Amino acid sequence: MKRILVILNILFSVLIMSHCRSSQERYFIRNVIAPNTAVAVIIEGENDVKNTVLVEFLNAGYNVKAINASDFYRVEDIFEVKDLKKTQFVTNVLDKKSAEGTAAVADKFFENLYKLHLYNFEAAKAEILTEIKKKYKVDYVILLAMKEWDKGYCWARAIHIDTFDLVYVHNYPAKRADNVQSIVKHFITVIQRGTNQPTQK
Amino acid sequence: MKNKFWEFYRSFTLLPTLTVFLFFCLLPAAKIYSIVTVAFGAIKNESDRVRLNEFELRLPVEVSRLLKDREKEIKIIPPQESIKIFEQKKLPNNIIYSKEEELVQACGALKANAILTATINLRDDNQIQIKQWLYLCEGNRQFKFVYIEPPATALKSAVLGTVAVIGQYLPEKSGGRLLLSEVKPGSKVAILSNTSPEALNRAAIALFERGYKVSAIGYVDFLSPEEKELNLFQEISSQELSYVGFEADFSDLGSITLHPLENATKKVTQQTALYDLFVSYTRSFDTKETAALQRLRNLTQADFLLIAHNGQTASFARVIDLRNGKLSYLRQQLPASQKTDDPENTNLLQLVAEISIPPQLPDVSNVGGLSTLAKIAGGDDIATVAILDFFNRSGQKKFAWLTTSLSAAVSESMLRVFEYRRADLQKEKEATAKFGANIQTQTFLELQKMTGADFLIFGDYTFDPKTKELLIEAKVYDLFSQKEIGTATERTPIDNRIFNAVDNIANKIVQDIYKMATTQ
C-alpha cells in the first residue's frame, strides 16, 4: 500500500511539474539587430540582474545607451505606470449604491474622460520613445523582463523606434541549468542571427 | 425465452428509433422556428432636407432586397408593417424607441428578435450622419452604430452596414461576431489587451506568422492594461462606423446627489454648470475619440487597433481601422474563463485568426440607383416625373374638383419624401387633354416626348355610395422601359382623412420607383 502511495505521489508530482513547465519557448524576429547598433536596454529586475544583462549586451558589441541603468532604483520604483494611471481617475466619485439614485451621465462622463486618458497614455509612450530616439540617438529599444527568470518566466522584445514597429518578441521559459547570463546570451544569439523558429501551431 | 428476448429487444430499440424518426421529422419545423425576425422601426430624417427622406424609404427596401436569398433564415418586417402593428396594439409609432420598457413592449407586439431604427442627419460639413440602433429582444441589449459618410456613398454604407449586422451578427447569436472589413496581412496591427505580457508576445508572434506587422503600442512597458480599463473600450464612438451601447439619459442628472461634491452641488446654479459640463463633454466625445485615435495613428503609423478584453465573466473584442476610424471587427462574446496569465491565450490567438479572414459582405454596387443624395454634394441625377390630372370615374360632377386637386396633393406629398423634378405643368395639361384616360403602353413614348418625364403618374377615382367613400387608384409608369411599375389604391371618406390617403399613395409610388431602380 505504501509503495502504491509513493508511486502515486511521484506521478502526481511529475504531473504538477510538467504542468508548470508547459509554456514553450516561442520567438519571432523581423529584423536582425547587428552589433554596433545603438540600443536602449530597459530591464525589469534587480540591479545585479541589470548589470549582468548590460555586460552581455556590451560584450556582444552593442552600443548600449544608459536609459534605466544610471540609477540605483528598479524600473517599478521610478516608472510605476499603474500609479500614473490612477492619479487621473477616481472611480468612486459617485456612489452607485446610493438610495438617491445612480448617475449614469456622470459615470459616462468619467468613463469617457478616462478612456481618452488611456488613448493618450498610449500616445504618450510613443512620444517618449521618440524623445529617447532624439536624446540618446538609439535605433532600438530592447525590453527584457527578468524579474521572474528564476521562476521560469522571462521575455524579451525589441522595438524599432523609427517605425514604432515591434521587430522581435521572445517568450523564454528558463531551464534549470539557466542563469541570467545564459538567458541573455540566448536572446542576443537570436537577435543577431535573425532566424525564426519554424511556425508552430 | 426467444419471444421474451425479442419483446425486450423491441422495447429497447423502439424508443431510439422513434426518437431518431421524430428528430428528422421535426428538423424542418425546428428550422422554421429558428428564423430571425428583424423589424424595421422608425427611420427618421431629422434634418430639414427633404432629399434625405430617401433613406426612410430606401434603406428597408435595399436591405430586404439584399437579404432576399436568405429569407429562410431572416424575416424582415418593413417599417410600414411595423407601424400598422403598433397602431393595432395602440403603441406609439413613428418614434425612435429608446426606453427599455418601450422596446420590450415593441418586441412583444412585433414578435421580432430584433428592432432596427435609425435617424439621419446632415452635418455642417455636408457629411451625412446615420445613427442606427439595433435592439436585441432576447437579452435586452441595444447597440448603436454610427456612420458618417459623404452623401454619394452614405446610402451604400448604411445598407452594407445594416445587411452585415443583420446577416452576420444576428444569426451568430452564440458568438456575436461581426467582421465588417478585412484586416489585410501586411498591415500594421496594435494590440491592447489585459493579458499577461507573455500572452501579448504570443499574440504578436501569431500576427507575425500571418504576415502582419505589429505596432509597439501595448508593447512598450512591462505592464498590461487592467480589465476595468479595457471595459471602457466596449463602446467605440469614433466618428465613422462605430459601436456604442445605450445612450446616457441626461434627464436624470438634475435629481442626483454627487457625494464628494455634495455641498457644492446643493446650489442649483452649480448643479446646472456641472450638468452642462457633463452633457457637452459626453455629446462631443465622438470628436475627441476620433482625434485620440488619429493621434495614435500619426505617432505610430499603426493601421488597426485590436482591443481584446479578457474578462472574468465575459470578454469582448473590437478592431478599429485607425486609417479612417471605422469599426472593422466586433466580437461581443468570447469564452470568459481565460486565465490572463496563460501565455497561450486561446482567445487572443482565435481573434488573430478571425480578423485575418476576409469578410463575406454583400455586393452593394447596385445600391443607390436613382439616388438624389449626391445632389447635396453638387451632382444632379434627379428624375423627372409627370403627374397627370386624375380621371373622374364616379360619374358625378360634384367630384370633378378632385381631378386637379388629387394630382397636386400627390405631388406635394411626394416632394416631402422624394426629391424629383416635376414635368412642365403646361405640357402635362396638354398630355391630359390629348390622352384623357387612354394611357396605354403604346402611348408611353409619345408621353415621354411630350412631357420630357422619366416617370408618369396617372390615376382615377370612383365613389362608393354605400360606404360614401372615395376609391383612389394611382399607377406609376416608367416611360423609358415602357412599363407599369406599381399601383397604389386607397379608400377614404371625403373629409380631411383624404390627405392621409394621398400620403400613403405618394409613399407607395416612391417605394415602387425605388424598387424598380434597385432591381434593374
Side-chain angles (χ1 to χ4, degrees), chain B residues 263-467:
Chain B
N263 293 331
T265 52
K266 275 179 183 167
K267 287 183 184 172
V268 176
T269 48
Q270 281 167 327
Q271 215 162 8
T272 309
L274 197 62
Y275 173 87
D276 289 346
L277 173 70
F278 286 179
V279 171
S280 66
Y281 192 88
T282 307
R283 288 221 167 116
S284 63
F285 185 68
D286 58 347
T287 52
K288 293 182 179 70
E289 187 157 22
T290 306
L293 289 167
Q294 190 60 48
R295 186 168 167 229
L296 270 184
R297 160 83 179 155
N298 292 343
L299 283 165
T300 67
Q301 294 307 305
D303 301 315
F304 295 95
L305 175 63
L306 164 61
I307 293 162
H309 171 273
N310 217 42
Q312 294 296 318
T313 52
S315 302
F316 64 83
R318 308 277 181 267
V319 174
I320 310 158
D321 189 337
L322 294 174
R323 297 165 302 183
N324 54 25
K326 288 185 182 182
L327 188 75
S328 293
Y329 171 85
L330 179 148
R331 188 78 141 101
Q332 197 54 27
Q333 291 162 19
L334 282 163
S337 59
Q338 284 291 309
K339 287 180 186 166
T340 51
D341 58 350
D342 184 358
E344 296 292 316
N345 186 302
T346 49
N347 270 357
L348 258 177
L349 298 178
Q350 185 188 337
L351 287 174
V352 170
E354 273 181 18
I355 61 172
S356 59
I357 303 166
Q360 291 190 327
L361 296 175
D363 177 12
V364 289
S365 55
N366 292 328
V367 168
L370 275 182
S371 175
T372 62
L373 293 165
K375 183 78 177 8
I376 288 174
D380 183 3
D381 59 351
I382 295 180
T384 304
V385 181
I387 306 172
L388 303 191
D389 289 347
F390 277 56
F391 193 75
N392 180 5
R393 290 192 195 280
S394 70
Q396 298 181 44
K397 279 190 181 170
K398 63 179 178 183
F399 296 127
W401 61 274
L402 278 166
T403 56
T404 49
S405 303
L406 277 176
S407 56
V410 166
S411 171
E412 199 178 309
S413 179
M414 270 178 64
L415 271 174
R416 284 201 294 270
V417 293
F418 179 58
E419 188 105 0
Y420 70 94
R421 189 183 294 117
R422 178 94 189 252
D424 187 285
L425 293 179
Q426 186 55 39
K427 286 177 180 166
E428 282 182 0
K429 285 215 177 301
E430 286 168 18
T432 304
K434 182 166 183 183
F435 295 103
N438 185 29
I439 306 294
Q440 292 172 351
T441 318
Q442 297 89 323
T443 59
F444 286 168
L445 207 57
E446 198 177 342
L447 275 163
Q448 200 282 321
K449 279 182 186 163
M450 272 184 88
T451 60
D454 305 302
F455 298 98
L456 175 82
I457 294 162
F458 175 70
D460 56 31
Y461 54 93
T462 54
F463 180 70
D464 184 345
K466 284 182 190 168
T467 58

Side-chain angles (χ1 to χ4, degrees), chain A residues 19-182:
Chain A
H19 179 73
C20 288
R21 311 282 301 178
S22 66
S23 109
Q24 295 173 39
E25 179 183 8
R26 286 185 189 270
Y27 63 85
F28 198 100
I29 180 148
R30 287 186 64 223
N31 290 17
V32 167
I33 303 175
N36 288 327
T37 308
V39 294
V41 186
I42 300 176
I43 308 137
E44 187 195 39
E46 299 296 330
N47 277 329
D48 55 341
V49 170
K50 277 160 64 172
N51 289 341
T52 313
V53 171
L54 293 169
V55 165
E56 287 308 314
F57 272 89
L58 288 166
N59 281 343
Y62 288 102
N63 179 5
V64 182
K65 302 288 179 181
I67 296 291
N68 77 325
S70 56
D71 53 56
F72 300 105
Y73 305 101
R74 293 174 303 159
V75 166
E76 50 269 48
D77 293 332
I78 55 160
F79 190 55
E80 181 48 278
V81 181
K82 281 185 180 176
D83 287 349
L84 192 61
K85 286 178 182 174
K86 280 174 184 164
T87 53
Q88 302 296 320
F89 182 54
V90 186
T91 49
N92 297 323
V93 169
L94 300 158
D95 181 3
K96 283 189 173 178
K97 288 174 187 167
S98 160
E100 288 155 37
T102 55
V105 178
D107 267 1
K108 190 85 189 159
F109 168 75
F110 283 111
E111 278 177 13
N112 283 344
L113 200 64
Y114 189 48
K115 187 178 177 188
L116 211 58
H117 172 66
L118 288 172
Y119 282 127
N120 289 335
F121 182 68
E122 295 305 321
K125 284 192 273 186
E127 279 170 345
I128 288 169
L129 283 193
T130 314
E131 283 297 304
I132 289 176
K133 163 87 184 165
K134 272 189 205 160
K135 280 187 184 165
Y136 297 88
K137 302 207 168 23
V138 292
D139 299 313
Y140 291 90
V141 169
I142 296 171
L143 287 99
L144 292 173
M146 300 295 290
K147 200 171 141 191
E148 293 187 320
W149 75 270
D150 49 348
K151 290 177 190 160
Y153 290 102
C154 46
W155 55 260
R157 293 172 188 159
I159 296 163
H160 188 204
I161 302 184
D162 276 347
T163 58
F164 209 71
D165 278 0
L166 186 71
V167 293
Y168 163 64
V169 271
H170 199 151
N171 281 350
Y172 184 72
K175 301 177 185 80
R176 277 179 198 283
D178 271 325
N179 54 35
V180 175
Q181 209 174 12
S182 68

Side-chain angles (χ1 to χ4, degrees), chain A residues 122-123 125-126 143 155 157 159 164 166, chain B residues 190-193 195-197 200-201 214-225 296 300 305:
Chain A
E122 295 305 321
K125 284 192 273 186
L143 287 99
W155 55 260
R157 293 172 188 159
I159 296 163
F164 209 71
L166 186 71
Chain B
I191 307 178
L192 281 182
S193 181
T195 47
S196 66
L200 266 184
N201 291 346
V214 181
S215 163
I217 295 173
Y219 286 89
V220 181
D221 50 49
F222 297 97
L223 294 163
S224 300
L296 270 184
T300 67
L305 175 63

Side-chain angles (χ1 to χ4, degrees), chain B residues 121-129 147-148 239 286-287:
Chain B
N121 263 301
L122 186 67
R123 292 162 22 123
D124 294 340
D125 59 359
N126 248 5
Q127 301 268 85
I128 291 178
Q129 182 186 57
Y147 313 85
I148 294 172
Q239 286 187 299
D286 58 347
T287 52

